[in-house]
Amino acid sequence: MYNRRKFIGSAAALGIIGLLPSKIVSAGKRKPFLSKANKFPIILSTWSHGIVANAESMRLLENGASVLDAVEKGVMIPEGDPKNHSVGLGGIPDRDGKVTLDASIMDSEGNAGGVCFLEDIVHPVSVARMVMEKTPHVLLAGKGALQFALENGFKREKLLTPESKKVWEQMIKRKNYEPRINWEEKHNDFHDTIGLLAIDGSADMAGACTTSGLGGKVRGRVGDSPIIGAGLFVDNEIGAATATGMGELVMKTLGSFLVVEFMRKGASPQEACEKAILRIVDKVVGHEKYQIGFIALNKKGETGAYSLQPGFNYALSANGENVLINADSYFRK
Ligand code: GLY
């Protein structure tokens, strides 16, 4: 069923020297992870920045932290990394040069929180968690979200770094600028997200998703990441899913909820991710131009991932390893 994807290449090509996983495997070689349940705890997250996020989440889980703390603190690592241009500090700004962030979080009780169009706060995932824990609401936006964050002790910080400003200046010079399909260091204006899912030793699940969204987006644009059911969904009885890529396609199909619902009907996480991508192919006109990737986890500890275009990878931490895996895709090279 799985084609053997090309080995992803050198660490230099990945741009993650110093953040290397213990190994990088192709889709064909990940079968052991898919065909049998992994030993708990298990953490998986989108893209190569997932390696450091997973490592932190796993460290916390192994030291007795809650699964909610583990997912939050895991994604805070890429959020706080100024060299990561798709999440938090140093994110690529919108068309007007402003960095605006979206994030969401869900716990094993079905509680959910999110923030969108948030400026000047490095860790939107923590504000999302506070929305979940301290308000009766699920989503706060823009100035209201910022006010809420400041009232709750978050500090205002400048998110636009000299490097991300430079990328933005190059981007707006290109009249024909279009969102990139995949993370490509040579273009540097890539667009992706970290979505991280975890199941702890008691088989309780949580998830978090955070992004600076599409570089060069129209001011005010919000993607799928803060929308519960689109960028992230967790049902502790069934499983969890999260998405990356062009959020509009995920929003039009409520992708992460759809993945979990396919699992509820008996699909494995892998089958569920593939079916959700097929839904996008069936229903969203123009999908050929964009990338979408889903990852999923079920209550048994089985995992899955699938993308629209080749090039999507994810980090899987289980059975004492933290590996970067090339996902299989609908379109082939
Ligand atoms: N998937 C993140 C976004 O579209 O903003």
Side-chain angles (χ1 to χ4, degrees), residues 102 191-193 211 213-214 221-225 243-248:
D102 297 340
H191 162 236
D192 62 59
T193 297
T211 189
L214 184 64
R221 181 264 188 189
V222 168
D224 59 314
S225 304
T244 180
M246 191 68 183
E248 282 72 3

Side-chain angles (χ1 to χ4, degrees), residues 80-236:
D81 178 359
K83 297 211 172 311
N84 185 323
H85 295 309
S86 61
V87 184
L89 179 64
I92 302 297
D94 66 15
R95 206 181 50 184
D96 296 10
K98 309 260 198 251
V99 181
T100 70
L101 306 178
D102 297 340
S104 62
I105 194 161
M106 271 190 96
D107 72 10
S108 54
E109 307 284 309
N111 298 307
V115 285
C116 62
F117 194 42
L118 176 65
E119 294 178 73
D120 300 341
I121 301 289
V122 174
H123 293 299
V125 72
S126 302
V127 187
R129 179 171 176 176
M130 214 167 257
V131 171
M132 174 174 87
E133 291 179 337
K134 289 201 167 184
T135 80
H137 312 306
V138 171
L139 185 61
L140 294 184
K143 285 190 176 145
L146 177 61
Q147 182 184 327
F148 173 78
L150 296 175
E151 281 167 6
N152 282 283
F154 288 84
K155 297 274 170 290
R156 244 186 146 130
E157 284 177 61
K158 197 170 160 216
L159 302 181
L160 188 67
T161 60
E163 204 183 314
S164 54
K165 186 165 179 231
K166 219 157 104 192
V167 174
W168 170 73
E169 282 164 353
Q170 292 304 319
M171 187 193 289
I172 55 168
K173 269 193 208 151
R174 290 204 305 268
K175 283 211 185 77
N176 60 349
Y177 171 70
E178 286 211 24
R180 301 284 174 195
I181 279 178
N182 273 321
W183 187 99
E184 287 177 277
E185 198 177 32
K186 67 179 188 301
H187 291 121
N188 237 353
D189 52 358
F190 56 86
H191 162 236
D192 62 59
T193 297
I194 183 156
L196 185 147
L197 310 171
I199 187 163
D200 66 13
S202 312
D204 282 328
M205 286 180 256
C209 186
T210 176
T211 189
S212 51
L214 184 64
K217 61 196 170 188
V218 172
R219 183 145 176 81
R221 181 264 188 189
V222 168
D224 59 314
S225 304
I227 310 297
I228 297 300
L232 175 71
F233 198 69
V234 178
D235 181 330
N236 201 45

Side-chain angles (χ1 to χ4, degrees), residues 310-325:
F312 173 50
N313 54 33
Y314 65 105
L316 177 61
S317 210
N319 310 318
E321 289 191 307
N322 190 16
V323 294
L324 190 65
I325 299 173

